[in-house]
Amino acid sequence: MANPKRKVSRNLRDKRRAQWMASLRANSLVTCDHCGEKKLPHRACPNCGYYRGKNVYIPKSV
């Protein structure tokens, strides 16, 4: 069975264990080129349905 070559410091150990906390940060928002609403980057706009200048889907009217 494999054994560690050297001791892992508490600092490195805790950094490894805390990686899930990075996912808790708020995502940055960008403006849609078509309608100007805020949206998540690299995703179709939920307001108008456009992505990279093309209509990807027709959003439901609320």
Side-chain angles (χ1 to χ4, degrees), residues 38-55:
K38 296 286 187 182
K39 68 176 192 76
L40 291 173
H42 306 289
R43 285 166 180 80
C45 178
N47 188 41
C48 65
Y50 274 73
Y51 179 67
R52 297 182 71 184
K54 296 178 184 175
N55 192 358

Side-chain angles (χ1 to χ4, degrees), residues 21-62:
M21 292 186 73
S23 65
L24 297 179
R25 284 185 301 197
N27 292 332
S28 60
L29 296 175
V30 296
T31 57
C32 175
D33 294 334
H34 189 257
C35 67
E37 290 286 323
K38 296 286 187 182
K39 68 176 192 76
L40 291 173
H42 306 289
R43 285 166 180 80
C45 178
N47 188 41
C48 65
Y50 274 73
Y51 179 67
R52 297 182 71 184
K54 296 178 184 175
N55 192 358
V56 179
Y57 72 95
I58 300 170
K60 294 181 181 178
S61 301
V62 183

